[in-house]
Amino acid sequence: YDDRCTWIMLPPSVTKVGDMSFYKCSRLEKFIAPGLTEMGVQAFAETPKLADFDFSGPIKSIPSKCFYKSGFVDLTIPGHIKDIEGNDAFRECKSLQNVVFEEGVESVSGARVFYKSSTTSVKFPTTLKSLGEYVFCINSGLSSVEWGGLEYIGENCFSGTGFTELSIPSTVKIVGGFGFSQCESLTKLTVAADSIGSFAFYLMPSLVEITIEPTTTKYADGLFHTCKGLESFRFPDHWKTTGEQVFESCSKLKNVDLNQIEVIDRESFHYCDGLTSIHIPSSVRKLMPHAFTGCYYLESVTIDEGIETLYGSFETAILEELTIPASVKW
């Protein structure tokens, strides 16, 4: 709780600082400890002016809340720190703008590491492969990422960030559930990641353009749930099912090309008020329950020969006429 020191230098013989060692040192701006190998929980928490920290010592990891509410503006994580394992390690660093991970850093396994900070840009090296849950969640200014060798993005990792355009490359293998949800400024999205978790792009009111590359082969339910600005979508050639709730509550969705889809899953277009017509092509074999429930203005449905299973899916539509193909068995 020292409120006098502005800088601290420790000799190389000091290798460890314990839990809360410099907690709430309110005027501390600079810290040098060339021999430091280990830091305790909350060692530098709530040091709002600490912007210059010597990471040159043989530090291997950063523990929980170590720099919670500290004063970093530009932060470089050196390569000898293999993992940021501590939850909330840099949480709520309100001055933090740019984060660079140098070659050698391998993972950020802790949860909420940069949660509610003010990060605007992040650079990942080729060595860093995975991010944990909520790592950059609610960084509303974050709009620039260099992906490096990143392969795994944890649940809610980038939810509530400030992207306006986002391109997830094929080097990313897995995007966890809600990974980029609630990015309210995002207008254009390109996805090449191999696997996308449930509700990964949930609640994006400004999203109007989506491109799914052929490399994206695995996807879960609710991908674009409540993307209220989206007006049209063409399913990729290689997708065979829509996924449940994929466009639920997308109230402006007007034009849908089902392409090679074989199964329209449960509640796929639940409460899509903007749909007035839909064409179900011959590739579709199953139309699951409640697929179009809540589409109150749906007045035209064309179903091609080929569909075999037709569950109750148009309960709230205002259809005057519906022709059921001879191929329907159930």
Side-chain angles (χ1 to χ4, degrees), residues 285-301:
R285 294 292 180 265
K286 290 183 180 181
L287 183 57
M288 301 304 286
H290 312 300
F292 293 92
T293 300
C295 297
Y296 295 108
Y297 301 98
L298 184 60
E299 58 186 14
S300 174
V301 175

Side-chain angles (χ1 to χ4, degrees), residues 276-325:
T276 58
S277 65
I278 189 73
H279 171 224
I280 298 175
S282 58
S283 62
V284 175
R285 294 292 180 265
K286 290 183 180 181
L287 183 57
M288 301 304 286
H290 312 300
F292 293 92
T293 300
C295 297
Y296 295 108
Y297 301 98
L298 184 60
E299 58 186 14
S300 174
V301 175
T302 304
I303 306 176
D304 291 349
E305 286 285 345
I307 191 167
E308 298 175 356
T309 304
L310 185 64
Y311 290 98
S313 299
F314 304 106
E315 300 98 315
T316 57
I318 53 174
L319 301 176
E320 293 185 359
E321 182 178 318
L322 177 65
T323 299
I324 299 176

Side-chain angles (χ1 to χ4, degrees), residues 235-293:
F235 281 90
D237 297 345
H238 60 293
W239 281 20
K240 302 306 179 185
T241 64
T242 60
E244 292 186 6
Q245 299 177 302
V246 60
F247 290 110
E248 179 165 337
S249 298
C250 292
S251 55
K252 289 187 178 180
L253 188 64
K254 299 176 182 177
N255 304 303
V256 177
D257 185 346
L258 290 165
N259 202 0
Q260 301 300 313
I261 291 296
E262 296 177 1
V263 178
I264 301 176
D265 284 302
R266 185 186 298 268
E267 299 177 352
S268 292
F269 301 95
H270 207 206
Y271 295 112
C272 289
D273 294 342
L275 274 181
T276 58
S277 65
I278 189 73
H279 171 224
I280 298 175
S282 58
S283 62
V284 175
R285 294 292 180 265
K286 290 183 180 181
L287 183 57
M288 301 304 286
H290 312 300
F292 293 92
T293 300

Side-chain angles (χ1 to χ4, degrees), residues 80-99:
H80 58 262
I81 298 178
K82 301 304 180 185
D83 181 28
I84 302 179
E85 62 184 13
N87 297 340
D88 308 291
F90 294 92
R91 176 172 175 161
E92 295 182 48
C93 291
K94 297 298 185 181
S95 299
L96 184 59
Q97 297 289 306
N98 306 301
V99 179

Side-chain angles (χ1 to χ4, degrees), residues 62-81:
I62 298 175
S64 297
K65 283 193 171 181
C66 189
F67 295 99
Y68 170 63
K69 288 188 175 181
S70 61
F72 292 103
V73 177
D74 297 304
L75 177 64
T76 298
I77 306 297
H80 58 262
I81 298 178

Side-chain angles (χ1 to χ4, degrees), residues 29-40:
E29 298 175 7
K30 186 174 184 177
F31 186 89
I32 302 172
L36 200 60
T37 63
E38 185 178 350
M39 298 180 289

Side-chain angles (χ1 to χ4, degrees), residues 17-316:
V17 293
D19 295 348
M20 302 180 75
S21 300
F22 300 93
Y23 178 73
K24 284 193 175 181
C25 288
S26 59
R27 295 181 63 193
L28 182 61
E29 298 175 7
K30 186 174 184 177
F31 186 89
I32 302 172
L36 200 60
T37 63
E38 185 178 350
M39 298 180 289
V41 173
Q42 291 185 283
F44 300 92
E46 300 197 44
T47 52
K49 293 188 177 182
L50 180 60
D52 188 352
F53 187 90
D54 178 19
F55 285 105
S56 65
I59 303 167
K60 298 301 181 185
S61 65
I62 298 175
S64 297
K65 283 193 171 181
C66 189
F67 295 99
Y68 170 63
K69 288 188 175 181
S70 61
F72 292 103
V73 177
D74 297 304
L75 177 64
T76 298
I77 306 297
H80 58 262
I81 298 178
K82 301 304 180 185
D83 181 28
I84 302 179
E85 62 184 13
N87 297 340
D88 308 291
F90 294 92
R91 176 172 175 161
E92 295 182 48
C93 291
K94 297 298 185 181
S95 299
L96 184 59
Q97 297 289 306
N98 306 301
V99 179
V100 175
F101 296 88
E102 292 185 340
E103 291 291 330
V105 181
E106 297 174 354
S107 61
V108 180
S109 60
R112 303 176 303 275
V113 172
F114 295 94
Y115 183 83
K116 280 190 176 180
S117 293
S118 298
T119 312
T120 58
S121 70
V122 180
K123 182 179 180 180
F124 297 115
T126 59
T127 54
L128 196 152
K129 301 301 182 184
S130 66
L131 298 175
E133 298 179 354
Y134 296 88
V135 172
F136 290 97
C137 182
I138 313 182
N139 277 246
S140 59
L142 179 56
S143 60
S144 175
V145 173
E146 293 184 35
W147 299 103
L150 187 64
E151 296 180 357
Y152 177 82
I153 296 173
E155 293 186 3
N156 286 280
C157 188
F158 289 96
S159 61
T161 48
F163 294 101
T164 55
E165 294 188 5
L166 175 64
S167 180
I168 304 173
S170 59
T171 51
V172 175
K173 304 304 180 187
I174 298 174
V175 175
F178 293 90
F180 291 88
S181 64
Q182 301 183 66
C183 293
E184 296 185 356
S185 300
L186 189 68
T187 60
K188 183 178 180 180
L189 173 66
T190 301
V191 183
D194 176 56
S195 178
I196 312 172
S198 58
F199 297 90
F201 308 106
Y202 165 73
L203 193 59
M204 293 185 171
S206 302
L207 184 62
V208 295
E209 184 178 343
I210 301 170
T211 301
I212 307 293
E213 300 291 352
T215 48
T216 301
T217 58
K218 305 178 189 71
Y219 49 98
D221 300 329
L223 287 187
F224 305 106
H225 193 299
T226 323
C227 291
K228 291 183 177 292
L230 190 66
E231 295 186 4
S232 64
F233 184 79
R234 184 180 190 272
F235 281 90
D237 297 345
H238 60 293
W239 281 20
K240 302 306 179 185
T241 64
T242 60
E244 292 186 6
Q245 299 177 302
V246 60
F247 290 110
E248 179 165 337
S249 298
C250 292
S251 55
K252 289 187 178 180
L253 188 64
K254 299 176 182 177
N255 304 303
V256 177
D257 185 346
L258 290 165
N259 202 0
Q260 301 300 313
I261 291 296
E262 296 177 1
V263 178
I264 301 176
D265 284 302
R266 185 186 298 268
E267 299 177 352
S268 292
F269 301 95
H270 207 206
Y271 295 112
C272 289
D273 294 342
L275 274 181
T276 58
S277 65
I278 189 73
H279 171 224
I280 298 175
S282 58
S283 62
V284 175
R285 294 292 180 265
K286 290 183 180 181
L287 183 57
M288 301 304 286
H290 312 300
F292 293 92
T293 300
C295 297
Y296 295 108
Y297 301 98
L298 184 60
E299 58 186 14
S300 174
V301 175
T302 304
I303 306 176
D304 291 349
E305 286 285 345
I307 191 167
E308 298 175 356
T309 304
L310 185 64
Y311 290 98
S313 299
F314 304 106
E315 300 98 315
T316 57

